[in-house]
Amino acid sequence: MSESSVEQLFLGIDGGGTKCCALIMDAQGAVLGRGLGGAANAYQHLLQAQASIIDATTLALRDAGLPETTMGDLIAGVGLAGVNLPSVFASVQRWQHPFKKMHLTTDLHIACLGAHQAANGAVIISGTGSCGYSIVDNKTTILGGHGFLLGDNGSGAWMGLEAVKAVLLAIDHLGPPTLMQALICDYLQAGNGNLVDKLAAASSGDYAKISRFVLSAAEQKDEIALAILRSGAAYIDALAQALWQAGPGRMSLIGGLSAYLTPWLSSATQANLSAPLAPPEVGAILFARQQTAL
C-alpha cells in the first residue's frame, strides 16, 4: 500500500435481503465502529441497496466517532446479495460510490471468507434466502441461491411463503387446520377473506418475517409447521452433503435461521458444522485487503 497502513481505514459491508451491516476497522484489525441499515439486495432494488450501504456506513462512522467526511477515505469491501448475476454486478460497479475504493463481490463470498478466515471452507446461508458456497484451493462452488419463488428452500422467505400457502389451504378447507392461521392473520391484521390482498405486494423480506410463526407453531407441535421445518432442514442437509464432497475441511451454517434449523439437521450434518470464526462483514474487509494487496 502506498498510504501509511497505520492511517488506512477499511469498511466491510454485508448486504442482504433484510439488512445491511457495516463494519469499520483500522489497518491493524481493530474494530472502530458498526452500523446497521435496511435491505440491500441489489437484484431486488438497486437504489435501495445503495442507500442502505450509505446509511449503514454513516452509522458506523458515527459509532467510531469519525466525521462523515471520512467516508471518502475508506477502502470498502462490499458483499451484496444479488450480484452473483453478471448484469446486477455490472450495475453496482457503475455506481458513483463515495468511498476511496470499492471492491465488490457476493454476500456468499464474504460469508465464506469471514467464517474460515480466508482459508478453505464452506458456508450454508439460511436467512432471508438460502444458498451453499465453498472455496477449496481457490475453486468456488455455488449451490442453490436461485432467489425467492425459484428456490431458496430452507430460508426465511421460503418458510413464510410455505406457511401462507398452508394457511390458505386451511381457510379453503382443502388442507388441515394449523395454528399458523390465527398467528399470521393477527400479525397481518387480515381476515380469512383478505389475506391474499394483504400480501399482494409482499417482498421476500416480508415473507421472511412471517417465518417466526412457523417456529412458534412448531414449538406447540403444530404438524403443518413441523412439516415445513423438516422440509427446510432436509434441503439444508442436501446442500451440506454436496458441499462436503469437495473437501472444504470446515463448514458453517450462518444466517438468521441457522440456530433454529440446526437441531433439525441430520446428525452427520451437525457433526460437520463448525462455528464461523468471524461474521461476513469481517470477510468483506478481508476481501478488500486481498484486493488492495494485488
Side-chain angles (χ1 to χ4, degrees):
M1 295 171 59
S2 59
E3 303 90 345
S4 168
S5 61
V6 175
E7 298 173 353
Q8 185 59 65
L9 300 179
F10 292 88
L11 169 69
I13 293 288
D14 173 31
T18 302
K19 64 183 183 299
C20 179
C21 299
L23 176 70
I24 297 174
M25 282 184 169
D26 64 19
Q28 289 72 45
V31 174
L32 303 181
R34 299 178 184 272
L36 187 65
N41 185 313
Y43 171 71
Q44 293 176 349
H45 201 306
L46 177 60
L47 293 180
Q48 182 185 43
Q50 293 168 350
S52 294
I53 291 169
I54 299 302
D55 289 345
T57 303
T58 300
L59 291 173
L61 286 169
R62 191 174 301 165
D63 186 45
L66 296 169
E68 290 187 21
T69 53
T70 309
M71 197 175 298
D73 299 326
L74 299 173
I75 293 181
V78 177
L80 298 181
V83 300
N84 54 301
L85 298 176
S87 60
V88 179
F89 186 94
S91 295
V92 179
Q93 282 285 66
R94 289 193 293 268
W95 179 30
Q96 297 299 306
H97 61 80
F99 310 120
K100 182 177 181 178
K101 293 180 183 177
M102 184 184 78
H103 301 289
L104 178 66
T105 188
T106 67
D107 57 337
L108 302 168
H109 188 187
I110 63 166
C112 200
L113 289 174
H116 310 297
Q117 289 289 276
N120 284 350
V123 290
I124 300 171
I125 296 177
S126 177
T128 301
S130 68
C131 194
Y133 184 89
S134 69
I135 305 174
V136 179
D137 298 332
N138 295 319
K139 180 181 178 181
T140 61
T141 299
I142 301 177
L143 299 174
H146 304 305
F148 187 51
L149 299 181
L150 297 178
D152 281 2
N153 297 48
S155 71
W158 171 86
M159 195 175 291
L161 179 60
E162 291 299 302
V164 170
K165 291 193 298 188
V167 167
L168 290 172
L169 286 173
I171 288 172
D172 290 339
H173 302 290
L174 297 173
T178 170
L179 296 174
M180 295 184 294
Q181 180 175 340
L183 293 171
I184 292 173
C185 286
D186 287 349
Y187 166 68
L188 294 173
Q189 296 184 327
N192 291 344
N194 68 337
L195 180 59
V196 172
D197 186 50
K198 288 283 186 176
L199 292 167
S203 66
S204 59
D206 294 325
Y207 278 103
K209 292 175 183 176
I210 293 173
S211 66
R212 76 182 90 162
F213 303 114
V214 179
L215 303 174
S216 177
E219 288 178 353
Q220 300 177 63
K221 308 302 181 185
D222 182 274
E223 284 301 323
I224 308 304
L226 288 168
I228 293 172
L229 270 177
R230 293 187 187 107
S231 177
Y235 178 78
I236 299 300
D237 274 330
L239 281 182
Q241 183 177 4
L243 289 170
W244 198 250
Q245 290 175 1
R250 293 185 94 252
M251 182 164 60
S252 299
L253 177 62
I254 62 177
L257 280 177
S258 58
Y260 300 101
L261 277 177
T262 297
W264 295 90
L265 300 176
S266 69
S267 57
T269 297
Q270 293 189 48
N272 288 334
L273 292 179
S274 300
L277 299 176
E281 53 269 29
V282 172
I285 290 178
L286 288 171
F287 176 69
R289 297 187 71 121
Q290 287 176 344
Q291 297 302 303
T292 302
L294 294 178

